[in-house]
Amino acid sequence: MPLYRDFSDDKATILVWKYDETEDLNADELLEKENAEKVKDYHPKKLLEVLMVRKLLKSLKPDSKILYKEREPFLSPKDAEISITHSFPYAAIAISKNKIGIDIEKFNPKILRVIDKFTYENERDFIPFDNEVTFYTIIWSVKESMYKIHHSKYWSLKKNYEVKPFELKYLFDISCRVHDENISDDFKARVKFFDDYCFTIVEE
């Protein structure tokens, strides 16, 4: 199976695959029976994304399955942490001893319509007017990656997730945090670009 990118480090295996229509993605072979009902009404492209992730997993841990608890994926047997992401034609998987979150987003000007939903004004002060789409896509993606580490449907990307000011030449070390009235967990995010996409990695 041809990989598109390998962003693995000494703590995690992180692989990205770009869809190739010549690749055999057999749902009967790849999809866990526990997830059959979950995907039965998926759009064909979304189902392909799901199967791509499973094919990546088979290449790394052939005896493992991806199951879900309250929409959060986990490995079975649970001998490692996992994060998955997809945006057709790409799918990615991260497997680590520690909690990890990955996210892939396409750069799209439509993101400017929703910045009030995931940022405060004080998070926008450093963003250059002529490159807003790039910066806001990075912020959104980093927050999505953090969310996958602190998974909770009750937490707001706007209220509970913060991305500190950064420059595009330092995308390997972006400071960010998850917080509420009781906790404040600090992280570092790595950001990669390929084609018209942004790929973010946040590790414990």
Side-chain angles (χ1 to χ4, degrees):
M1 183 183 72
L3 288 176
Y4 185 73
R5 291 285 190 276
D6 185 341
F7 295 126
S8 303
D9 58 24
D10 58 355
K11 295 188 290 185
T13 300
I14 305 165
L15 305 178
V16 182
W17 181 19
K18 186 175 183 180
Y19 177 65
D20 179 349
E21 61 186 18
T22 65
E23 188 79 35
D24 181 27
L25 294 172
N26 188 323
D28 292 332
E29 295 177 1
L30 295 173
L31 187 67
E32 307 85 356
K33 65 181 185 299
E34 294 92 337
N35 293 321
E37 185 69 19
K38 175 183 173 68
V39 305
K40 67 182 180 65
D41 295 323
Y42 276 15
H43 186 280
K45 282 187 177 179
K46 187 171 183 181
L47 180 59
L48 281 175
E49 293 170 346
V50 169
L51 297 178
M52 288 165 67
V53 167
R54 269 61 185 181
K55 190 97 175 193
L56 284 168
L57 177 65
K58 293 296 183 186
S59 72
L60 298 170
K61 297 175 74 67
D63 297 324
S64 294
K65 299 189 291 186
I66 298 174
L67 302 180
Y68 294 86
K69 182 179 180 181
E70 297 178 355
R71 298 170 54 195
E72 181 180 6
F74 66 91
L75 278 180
S76 176
K78 199 174 188 318
D79 55 359
E81 299 291 340
I82 188 173
S83 184
I84 60 178
T85 185
H86 36 70
S87 179
F88 195 82
Y90 298 100
I93 190 169
I95 295 176
S96 175
K97 292 180 180 179
N98 303 318
K99 281 280 191 178
I100 188 167
I102 60 172
D103 184 67
I104 184 170
E105 300 289 339
K106 187 170 186 178
F107 292 109
N108 189 326
K110 290 181 180 179
I111 198 169
L112 300 180
R113 303 176 188 172
V114 296
I115 59 175
D116 286 337
K117 294 185 177 181
F118 68 95
T119 63
Y120 284 113
E121 287 187 15
N122 62 358
E123 277 188 294
R124 308 171 200 160
D125 293 341
F126 70 99
I127 295 176
F129 179 74
D130 61 351
N131 207 1
E132 288 182 305
V133 172
T134 299
F135 276 81
Y136 282 120
T137 303
I138 291 171
I139 291 172
W140 172 270
S141 191
V142 169
K143 289 188 177 190
E144 284 284 340
S145 291
M146 283 193 288
Y147 177 82
K148 292 175 181 180
I149 291 179
H150 279 270
H151 195 277
S152 171
K153 63 184 178 181
Y154 303 109
W155 283 19
S156 160
L157 291 185
K158 181 172 182 176
K159 295 178 180 178
N160 302 107
Y161 297 79
E162 180 184 5
V163 179
K164 302 294 180 63
F166 60 88
E167 299 179 49
L168 295 185
K169 61 182 177 180
Y170 297 120
L171 291 179
F172 54 87
D173 194 29
I174 296 177
S175 295
C176 49
R177 71 177 183 130
V178 182
H179 61 94
D180 64 10
E181 62 274 8
N182 297 315
I183 70 159
S184 180
D185 286 348
D186 295 316
F187 299 99
K188 294 288 187 180
R190 285 189 285 149
V191 180
K192 308 287 185 179
F193 295 159
F194 51 80
D195 295 349
D196 290 326
Y197 288 79
C198 167
F199 185 71
T200 61
I201 304 161
V202 176
E203 300 174 81
E204 275 193 335

